Amino acid sequence: MIKYVLPLLVLLFIIPPVTSQVVAPHFVQQKFASDTVKKAITELTTELALKHPGFYRYTSKELFDAYIDSTKSTLTDSVSLLEAFLKMKQIVAKVNCLHTGITLPHYYVDYLNQQPNLLPLQVYFSEGKAYVVKNYSDQSSIEVGDEIVSINGRDIPSITRQLFDLIPSDGYNLTLKYRSLYFQFPLWYRLLEATNQFSVVVRQKGIMKSYQVFGKKRDEIAEDGFLKEPAYSKPLDFKVVNDIGVLTIHTFAKTDIKKAGQSFKPYIDKVFKEIQAKDIRNLVVDLRDNTGGSDLYAVYFTRHFFTDPFRYWDRIEVTESIAKQIEGVGLTLFYRKPVQNNKVWLWKKARHVSDFDFYEEQKPVKDNYTGNTYILVNGFSMSSCADVAAILSFNKKAIVVGQETGGGYHGNTSGMMPVSILDRFGFRLSVPLQKYVNHVDSSSPVGRGVLPDYPIATSIEELLKKEDTELAFVLNLIKQQSVSH
């Protein structure tokens, strides 16, 4: 059976944090009967089908059922806890929802993190190839910029395919998966092979060379932006470069912004007043690696680019099971009962908070901006950040530059995300309960993020030179357009 624990309102996208408990090696070798794992898969998928309103958003029920049956058919013998986890993680990733996740028990992750089992290399993927960006190993002969050809006999294309099956992403998006590998490759690879020694074949100045690399512990190589969340001293930042405004919003998360001593609404208001005072006609908004956060902040920011009322979300859907759970004084004091419209249950705005109000018509702010706006995005532009990019792009309020957003163009499934514990395994399953549908072109390709007007990809050479390719492109584009006018 599945037990419930305290609901989470934010996505725990990174591997669970480290605590002090250590699991004895014999536990890692514990085996589970195939029938036990099959039963757990049935419980997991039943839970998803009942609660997740986007469970079949990108894959039909028939195809998903066939995939689940196929997965079960591979369980012909007993498996370890990690092997069972990988089976279930592939199923969860198949939902194609970046807010739906399953993680190993904390104590198991603790054990893994206390072993030298991480490949001590940061890797960047470009044009189907993997390159060394940073070398944290004791093998100094591996140079930054070397192309990795294989790891322990696995070639890069096969490694990429295996890991992509484990990484959750909205729809059929790949930019999020590549970005995730850039920040977390050693952690993802460890799921395929937890070993303390790696045979790495690299192409070095056109010559193939093989090196033996010893693994490192997580704490030995983790730093901000690599294997752990980046810590921004200024989540919100604004500057003027040659009469061009550059506004960077690293996050819409209330906690992170407050922790840095900033306040979102006053800061944004101040920025747009400065823009008006200086008559800035070109504004660049950097939303790269902004993984989302507060819808309240996201919508408030979006309102600055409209002169007339507009729609942000089209609707919010929930499953029938969730709709029927909104009853009794305890819940109806806070939430209104969902309303059925044909076969769809529509979530209504809450009584005491504004988290679910944005399917209603939105009004522009007083100090709105009517100049030229350019938005920088990439694969880690997710969730509410992707919603902002979608609405501004659809309404032609901004030109989008960079890579396809990791968050879906048509919306996402998130909101309240209770976490469940799978008995016998201790896996933690987070299931988002609200399906958000953005008010955008419904005929555009399903399962994609916000597609840039100007696709720009950073090469390994540009990355190593620390060149900001996307920003340089936009500044040059503005310069060219100014000359032409």
Side-chain angles (χ1 to χ4, degrees):
M1 64 180 291
I2 296 177
K3 292 180 180 177
Y4 298 98
V5 296
L6 184 66
L8 295 182
L9 298 181
V10 294
L11 168 67
L12 297 179
F13 188 76
I14 307 297
I15 301 297
V18 181
T19 62
S20 59
Q21 186 179 3
V22 179
V23 177
H26 75 271
F27 180 83
V28 177
Q29 303 302 320
Q30 182 181 3
K31 294 290 185 177
F32 296 85
S34 58
D35 286 345
T36 300
V37 181
K38 290 177 183 178
K39 183 180 179 181
I41 289 175
T42 299
E43 292 171 350
L44 179 147
T45 53
T46 299
E47 174 83 354
L48 288 169
L50 281 174
K51 307 294 177 61
H52 195 304
F55 189 38
Y56 302 118
R57 191 172 193 169
Y58 302 111
T59 305
S60 68
K61 184 179 186 305
E62 292 73 22
L63 289 176
F64 216 118
D65 287 347
Y67 179 78
I68 294 167
D69 290 341
S70 175
T71 301
K72 288 180 178 179
S73 70
T74 64
L75 292 163
T76 57
D77 201 354
S78 60
V79 296
S80 67
L81 184 72
L82 182 58
E83 289 169 333
F85 173 74
L86 291 176
K87 296 291 184 184
M88 297 186 208
K89 193 162 183 63
Q90 287 182 46
I91 291 173
V92 170
K94 188 73 172 177
V95 179
N96 295 332
C97 170
L98 68 85
H99 292 91
T100 306
I102 187 169
T103 58
L104 286 163
H106 290 317
Y107 54 79
Y108 196 102
V109 178
D110 293 344
Y111 167 75
L112 290 175
N113 284 342
Q114 291 169 23
Q115 313 305 312
N117 54 24
L118 293 178
L119 176 67
L121 301 173
Q122 184 173 15
V123 180
Y124 180 70
F125 287 79
S126 176
E127 298 181 348
K129 297 180 180 179
Y131 299 91
V132 177
V133 175
K134 286 187 179 180
N135 182 1
Y136 298 89
S137 76
D138 300 325
Q139 181 55 268
S140 59
S141 297
I142 296 179
E143 300 176 2
V144 169
D146 285 352
E147 178 193 347
I148 300 177
V149 178
S150 67
I151 303 170
N152 287 351
R154 304 171 187 256
D155 61 54
I156 290 299
S158 65
I159 291 173
T160 305
R161 284 193 299 271
Q162 286 180 285
L163 294 183
F164 276 11
D165 285 342
L166 300 175
I167 302 174
S169 178
D170 278 353
Y172 318 117
N173 175 277
L174 296 181
T175 57
L176 184 152
K177 296 175 187 279
Y178 278 119
R179 198 69 179 160
S180 184
L181 291 183
Y182 174 61
F183 291 127
Q184 305 166 347
F185 181 79
L187 291 175
W188 286 112
Y189 186 84
R190 183 173 67 183
L191 293 177
L192 302 183
E193 185 178 26
T195 180
N196 59 11
Q197 190 169 354
F198 303 86
S199 176
V200 181
V201 177
V202 302
R203 184 175 283 110
Q204 207 171 61
K205 296 180 176 61
I207 301 174
M208 303 281 274
K209 296 185 178 181
S210 181
Y211 296 102
Q212 295 301 308
V213 178
F214 291 100
K216 297 280 188 178
K217 298 178 182 179
R218 184 178 185 273
D219 286 346
E220 293 177 326
I221 61 176
E223 58 185 21
D224 283 351
F226 181 59
L227 306 188
K228 66 179 182 179
E229 294 276 10
Y232 298 109
S233 59
K234 289 185 177 181
L236 311 172
D237 187 46
F238 179 71
K239 59 185 177 183
V240 179
V241 181
N242 298 327
D243 296 325
I244 299 171
V246 181
L247 172 61
T248 301
I249 304 178
H250 288 295
T251 180
F252 288 111
K254 292 181 180 180
T255 303
D256 293 340
I257 294 172
K258 184 178 180 180
K259 187 185 299 183
Q262 295 182 309
S263 183
F264 187 82
K265 286 188 176 183
Y267 188 94
I268 295 300
D269 289 343
K270 181 181 177 182
V271 166
F272 279 93
K273 285 179 181 178
E274 181 179 347
I275 287 173
Q276 282 193 345
K278 294 182 177 178
D279 193 28
I280 294 173
R281 303 310 303 160
N282 294 286
L283 173 64
V284 180
V285 182
D286 190 351
L287 296 178
R288 292 173 295 181
D289 296 330
N290 181 325
T291 57
S294 167
D295 292 315
L296 181 67
Y297 289 173
V299 176
Y300 185 73
F301 173 71
T302 306
R303 289 169 56 202
H304 284 74
F305 298 91
F306 287 83
T307 56
D308 299 309
F310 66 100
R311 296 288 304 282
Y312 189 80
W313 295 330
D314 185 76
R315 63 189 184 278
I316 306 173
E317 300 176 11
V318 294
T319 65
E320 181 178 2
S321 173
I322 293 300
K324 292 185 175 180
Q325 289 183 35
I326 308 301
E327 60 182 5
V329 176
L331 285 176
T332 55
L333 275 175
F334 295 94
Y335 304 111
R336 290 180 169 85
K337 293 180 69 65
V339 176
Q340 187 174 17
N341 183 2
N342 295 322
K343 295 183 179 180
V344 176
W345 287 89
L346 299 179
W347 185 259
K348 310 306 290 182
K349 67 180 190 178
R351 295 183 186 278
H352 303 293
V353 294
S354 57
D355 299 51
F356 304 106
D357 292 7
F358 307 118
Y359 58 80
E360 297 182 328
E361 188 176 74
Q362 302 300 305
K363 296 179 180 179
V365 299
K366 181 180 179 181
D367 297 320
N368 52 52
Y369 181 69
T370 57
N372 304 312
T373 303
Y374 304 82
I375 296 179
L376 299 178
V377 295
N378 64 11
F380 259 29
S381 300
M382 309 181 210
S383 196
S384 59
C385 173
D387 292 345
V388 170
I391 298 304
L392 294 180
S393 175
F394 169 67
N395 289 283
K396 302 190 183 304
K397 299 298 181 181
I399 293 172
V400 181
V401 178
Q403 299 91 51
E404 178 180 357
T405 62
Y409 174 72
H410 290 101
N412 63 72
T413 307
S414 56
M416 294 184 289
M417 291 181 283
V419 174
S420 310
I421 303 296
L422 271 68
D423 269 357
R424 297 179 297 276
F425 300 96
F427 302 152
R428 299 169 62 87
L429 174 69
S430 59
V431 182
L433 303 183
Q434 279 86 18
K435 174 183 174 181
Y436 298 86
V437 181
N438 289 339
H439 191 76
V440 295
D441 181 8
S442 60
S443 66
S444 59
V446 175
R448 300 299 300 272
V450 181
L451 300 176
D453 299 294
Y454 292 94
I456 303 295
T458 301
S459 68
I460 181 62
E461 292 80 14
E462 292 165 334
L463 181 72
L464 294 179
K465 291 178 182 178
K466 298 184 179 180
E467 295 179 359
D468 193 334
T469 312
E470 293 94 343
L471 180 58
F473 175 88
V474 170
L475 296 178
N476 185 57
L477 180 63
I478 292 172
K479 181 180 178 181
Q480 291 177 346
Q481 293 178 342
S482 298
V483 171
S484 65
H485 287 88

